[in-house]
Amino acid sequence: MKIFLYASCFFFLIKMRILFIHSDFIEYSVKEKALENPEPYDKKSERIEEALVAFVSVENKDNENVAIKGAKEIADVADKINAKKIVVYPYAHLSPSLAGPSTAIQVLEKLRNELSNMGYDVTKVPFGWYKSFTISCKGHPLSELSKQIGGEEEEPEALRKENTIKTYFKILYNKKFYDINEFDFSGHEKLKEFVDYEISGTRAVQEIPPHVKYMKSLEIADYEEGSDSGNMRFYPKGKLIKSLIESHITNTVMNYGAMEVETPVMYDYEHPALKSYLQRFPARQYTVLSGEDRYFLRFSACFGQFLIAKDSLMTYKQLPVKLYELTRYSFRREKHGELVGLRRLRAFTMPDMHTFTMNIDQAKEEFMRQYKLSISVLKDFGLDLKDYEVAIRFTKEFFDNNSEFIFQLEEIVNKPVLIQIWEEKFFYFVLKFEFNFVDNVHKAAALSTVQIDVDNADRFSINYIDEKGEKKHPLILHCSPSGAVERVIYAMLEKAEMQKKNGIKPSLPLWLSPTMVRIIPLSEKHVQDSLRFLDEIKKEGIRVDIDDREITLSKKIREAETFWVPYILVIGDKEISSSTLTVRDRYSDKTNEIDLENFIKMLKEKLRNYPYRPLNESERLSMRVKFS
RNA sequence: GCCACCGUAGCUCAGUCGGUAGAGCGGCUGACUUGUAAUCAGCAGGUCGGGGGUCCAAUUCCCUCCGGUGGCUCCA
């Protein structure tokens, strides 16, 4: 079974490391503080004879279970060498990924208790001090050993729960639920692929998804070997497209009433509010060191916005309150083999809005608006309802109280949707939807999503003041109206490939085309006059360029076509004298005659309501750098 | 993370059963002055991913490291 989480799930690495020395004696003395608040300690030094010394590193995400396992390992060694005395010596240098001090102290204390309870004479060397020590190693075969406890990925609580909570899938169509096996998928082949992908896992495909070749050949983006995998470089054309997408989403969300904020990209592992969130949703984070302090790179805007909301004063009169940020970037250290082109990245740009609502009615109302907003945003990218599959997931309790609401969601898209129902609440949400894009190699990727979060206001101490003047926790909607921006580009390119397979020229929406109009002078002598046309078009806010290179006309046409330029104008004597243009139109795949004025009018009409940015390269092709 | 494959010119790739390399595209130069998807000719580009080993000789064989890609697992 697969679970789509808003925040991806990370694993705890359980890896306490222990170095054993069977000693004649060990003697240590405490020098000075290594931490601000070390474990209290009153003696200056100590000497222990005939002891098994266990140097222990507590690692990132270790917990008390590891301490119990560790104690068993130590006891096991102690019995083999017949040692009665055990020294637990905190020793950071065994591990590259240490736990925070508070965790370490806790785990070591647990370790000591366990060993005491087993009847050993345990000495625990204090944590958080610089110490000198002298040790005499006995030198027999078992006197020096090292162990790594666990070393396997342990399922976090949320995932363990997954296996015990009942969940099932259905298809919902015209207010009727169907079992997956009973539903007739004819006419809904993509949904079938999505359901297969969801439930029975993936098919092995030996094919690189086609968007990868387009991302390179259109000079949009490419892999950057100089960075970590999944961190892309964007070329001028790609950066232009990406910026336009970002502007459009931001404009749309702000028109919807969200307030744009900006929050840090990294957060303290030791921060109490974040800690419980991380514990519950451990992810594969990037870790950043600032001196000795460890920070994780955000994997969504939740942290930053929740921390703002926690410190803000909201009253019932102001709700719903919407905070928005376009995260550039969010980071998830996805597994190496998972990273393909623009489908999944380790650093990605994610529009992320959180809506704080009073109660379930207000939450539902906003949910519905955001559902429609997501449909409309995707449409602006040329992704229609037929291009993606809808999944709606909820708890049984939510459905029992809100069945009509669920039916409405289905009615709006007017096509069968995948339903997942949980017997009881699972993670933090009671209802979510996603729009999933199924690509040319039959893989699904989530785009838009909205969730109703009933847990995190409590966890982050986010409150609003109600009519009676009392503090209450709001319900929080998580919304990404488009999904990751890179993933939007991926979906557009994959869709273009599908069109190509159906005999339609692949293209991008006009407003996202790096070049909207390409002017091709018939020969060198037409360049000067062509520039006049260029200026006329350019001043209307249309991205136009000119292929002034000394190559053949055919070649220029061919190149404009390979870059998916929507409109190609060849300027020769005829055009210059008559001012009637011959326009090669990619969308209709026809060549039309039209005068300049009407041509511009037609383009401006199509570009209305979309953001504009100028060309991000020279308007003269002869002056352009090649990037692919 | 595991498994597999790959790393040769700016790009895509060929090749050397071990004797330091080729093509197409792109670039540069010149000719051509062209009416809707590749005009012709010439020229310049490479420590064959890094390190180690075997060998008279390694880009080629072996080991190792690094990087990339695909699959599995997982997820936005």
Side-chain angles (χ1 to χ4, degrees):
Chain A
M1 183 184 71
K2 282 168 187 296
I3 304 302
F4 280 75
L5 282 178
Y6 188 74
S8 79
C9 218
F10 338 160
F11 286 94
F12 291 101
L13 265 184
I14 308 298
K15 271 197 202 164
M16 172 187 278
R17 290 173 197 250
I18 308 177
L19 172 68
F20 295 97
I21 305 276
H22 190 198
S23 66
D24 298 313
F25 71 90
I26 178 168
E27 188 168 13
Y28 69 91
S29 55
V30 170
K31 298 293 182 192
E32 56 186 290
K33 285 182 182 181
L35 294 171
E36 241 180 87
N37 298 305
E39 262 184 302
Y41 185 68
D42 41 15
K43 285 180 246 177
K44 262 207 94 74
S45 62
E46 199 168 4
R47 180 181 169 110
I48 303 109
E49 308 277 347
E50 295 297 323
L52 172 65
V53 182
F55 292 96
V56 180
S57 278
V58 179
E59 295 212 312
N60 187 11
K61 302 299 175 197
D62 278 357
N63 57 28
E64 297 202 343
N65 292 334
V66 189
I68 295 168
K69 284 190 201 166
K72 280 182 191 147
E73 285 290 337
I74 295 173
D76 192 40
V77 174
D79 291 346
K80 276 186 192 152
I81 58 175
N82 204 20
K84 297 279 177 288
K85 285 191 248 177
I86 293 173
V87 176
V88 175
Y89 197 116
Y91 198 67
H93 315 290
L94 298 170
S95 165
S97 54
L98 288 170
S102 56
T103 310
I105 291 172
Q106 197 186 342
V107 170
L108 288 166
E109 189 54 32
K110 178 75 179 171
L111 187 63
R112 191 187 70 82
N113 281 337
E114 285 291 310
L115 288 166
S116 289
N117 293 343
M118 291 178 199
Y120 296 97
D121 177 0
V122 187
T123 305
K124 187 168 143 247
V125 177
F127 184 94
W129 301 86
Y130 292 110
K131 300 172 282 281
S132 65
F133 70 86
T134 309
I135 187 165
S136 165
C137 177
K138 284 187 180 292
H140 61 75
L142 289 178
S143 66
E144 295 166 77
L145 284 172
S146 74
K147 287 259 162 107
Q148 188 169 305
I149 308 305
E152 281 163 25
E153 288 181 343
E154 181 172 303
E155 286 179 314
E157 184 197 342
L159 273 196
R160 267 203 305 278
K161 231 172 139 188
E162 174 185 322
N163 296 324
T164 58
I165 289 185
K166 274 194 188 159
T167 181
Y168 41 92
F169 292 95
K170 297 274 182 187
I171 298 293
L172 174 61
Y173 193 33
N174 290 330
K175 295 198 178 192
K176 273 190 173 139
F177 289 103
Y178 298 85
D179 282 347
I180 301 293
N181 302 330
E182 289 168 1
F183 188 74
D184 177 8
F185 283 98
S186 14
H188 308 290
E189 283 71 21
K190 286 273 176 191
L191 178 63
K192 177 81 173 84
E193 285 183 6
F194 172 54
V195 170
D196 286 348
Y197 183 79
E198 268 290 286
I199 297 169
S200 43
T202 57
R203 298 179 218 177
V205 214
Q206 291 294 331
E207 218 183 316
I208 303 176
H211 79 276
V212 175
K213 78 171 180 255
Y214 290 135
M215 124 194 146
K216 295 181 187 193
S217 70
L218 296 176
E219 294 190 349
I220 291 173
D222 208 340
Y223 302 110
E224 175 51 74
E225 291 183 26
S227 181
D228 190 18
S229 316
N231 289 250
M232 309 301 279
R233 55 160 76 157
F234 279 79
Y235 297 116
K237 292 184 183 71
K239 175 60 185 172
L240 175 68
I241 293 170
K242 186 162 177 277
S243 295
L244 285 165
I245 294 173
E246 292 169 6
S247 302
H248 186 61
I249 296 168
T250 299
N251 293 345
T252 304
V253 169
M254 289 176 75
N255 284 334
Y256 170 69
M259 298 179 275
E260 190 178 19
V261 295
E262 184 169 321
T263 63
V265 295
M266 65 178 82
Y267 294 89
D268 189 348
Y269 272 105
E270 297 295 316
H271 188 287
L274 302 178
K275 214 167 177 177
S276 80
Y277 191 74
L278 276 180
Q279 296 256 332
R280 206 166 150 72
F281 302 105
R284 307 177 191 128
Q285 300 113 315
Y286 275 105
T287 299
V288 172
L289 285 177
S290 170
E292 297 285 304
D293 301 326
R294 294 169 64 249
Y295 296 84
F296 64 91
L297 294 181
R298 64 172 172 200
F299 47 84
S300 72
C302 300
F303 313 99
Q305 292 183 19
F306 289 172
L307 291 174
I308 288 177
K310 169 175 97 66
D311 294 332
S312 67
L313 179 65
M314 291 187 265
T315 79
Y316 73 98
K317 292 179 185 172
Q318 292 144 3
L319 299 187
V321 166
K322 297 149 203 157
L323 295 179
Y324 165 78
E325 181 171 4
L326 185 90
T327 64
R328 192 161 55 223
Y329 297 103
S330 284
F331 297 90
R332 293 181 195 176
R333 249 195 114 268
E334 300 293 4
K335 287 181 183 174
H336 191 260
E338 267 309 302
L339 308 165
V340 189
L342 294 170
R343 188 201 292 145
R344 168 163 285 108
L345 299 173
R346 284 183 172 177
F348 55 98
T349 308
M350 186 81 161
D352 207 348
M353 172 170 66
H354 293 91
T355 307
F356 302 91
T357 61
M358 253 189 291
N359 50 38
I360 193 69
D361 287 336
Q362 195 173 56
K364 274 161 57 190
E365 193 184 324
E366 289 301 315
F367 187 97
M368 181 59 83
R369 292 179 69 197
Q370 293 175 15
Y371 184 71
K372 291 175 181 166
L373 187 78
S374 299
I375 293 172
S376 137
V377 165
L378 290 187
K379 191 163 177 51
D380 292 333
F381 301 126
L383 301 169
D384 301 316
L385 273 168
K386 64 178 164 41
D387 295 319
Y388 50 84
E389 301 311 319
V390 182
I392 304 173
R393 304 166 203 263
F394 42 81
T395 59
K396 188 167 179 301
E397 189 193 356
F398 183 88
F399 180 74
D400 290 343
N401 298 326
N402 303 284
S403 55
E404 263 316 303
F405 186 73
I406 300 294
F407 293 142
Q408 269 179 47
L409 294 175
E410 185 255 328
E411 205 180 327
I412 287 166
V413 296
N414 192 27
K415 64 176 198 169
V417 304
L418 176 67
I419 295 290
Q420 181 174 19
I421 305 163
W422 284 293
E423 286 285 338
E424 49 184 293
K425 181 168 72 76
F426 178 89
F427 295 120
Y428 54 84
F429 52 83
V430 290
L431 170 67
K432 76 176 292 197
F433 82 83
E434 317 113 32
F435 295 149
N436 294 276
F437 184 85
V438 180
D439 67 23
N440 287 279
V441 293
H442 317 297
K443 296 254 180 180
L447 295 169
S448 321
T449 181
V450 179
Q451 305 159 10
I452 300 180
D453 172 353
V454 296
D455 275 4
N456 278 309
D458 183 23
R459 176 168 295 111
F460 280 80
S461 303
I462 299 167
N463 302 303
Y464 72 94
I465 311 293
D466 74 2
E467 300 92 318
K468 294 171 193 150
E470 286 165 12
K471 279 188 184 177
K472 286 224 172 114
H473 294 311
L475 296 178
I476 305 173
L477 273 70
H478 300 241
C479 169
S480 187
S482 62
V485 171
E486 295 83 355
R487 192 171 271 188
V488 169
I489 299 176
Y490 143 83
M492 290 192 302
L493 296 178
E494 289 287 330
K495 183 187 172 179
E497 174 69 12
M498 290 171 198
Q499 289 188 313
K500 191 179 160 192
K501 285 178 180 167
N502 291 325
I504 301 167
K505 283 184 179 177
S507 62
L508 292 174
L510 182 64
W511 69 281
L512 287 172
S513 298
T515 295
M516 297 166 175
V517 179
R518 163 87 30 102
I519 292 178
I520 300 181
L522 192 57
S523 74
E524 265 178 275
K525 66 178 187 227
H526 300 104
V527 171
Q528 278 311 314
D529 286 306
S530 297
L531 285 170
R532 267 186 17 240
F533 285 95
L534 181 131
D535 288 338
E536 289 283 317
I537 298 170
K538 186 170 75 171
K539 73 176 189 219
E540 300 292 339
I542 293 162
R543 282 188 296 276
V544 53
D545 55 23
I546 178 166
D547 195 341
D548 59 340
R549 295 172 300 172
E550 294 180 32
I551 53 173
T552 59
L553 173 68
S554 296
K555 199 154 187 180
K556 292 177 184 178
I557 300 274
R558 181 185 148 78
E559 196 162 309
E561 294 281 3
T562 57
F563 274 99
W564 301 4
V565 173
Y567 299 100
I568 301 169
L569 309 183
V570 177
I571 304 292
D573 292 336
K574 203 175 79 187
E575 287 73 16
I576 292 166
S577 57
S578 74
S579 90
T580 296
L581 303 172
T582 311
V583 178
R584 192 169 163 131
D585 179 341
R586 185 175 189 83
Y587 298 121
S588 66
D589 200 13
K590 283 184 184 145
T591 304
N592 308 310
E593 303 228 323
I594 184 170
D595 63 63
L596 182 63
E597 195 186 330
N598 282 319
F599 178 59
I600 290 172
K601 206 169 136 192
M602 187 263 292
L603 293 184
K604 284 178 80 172
E605 179 56 30
K606 286 192 175 210
L607 293 171
R608 216 155 49 95
N609 305 324
Y610 294 110
Y612 168 77
R613 277 182 173 242
L615 275 180
N616 195 24
E617 292 171 282
S618 171
E619 60 194 25
R620 287 172 176 263
L621 278 268
S622 64
M623 297 302 290
R624 279 198 193 164
V625 174
K626 279 198 192 314
F627 292 102
S628 68

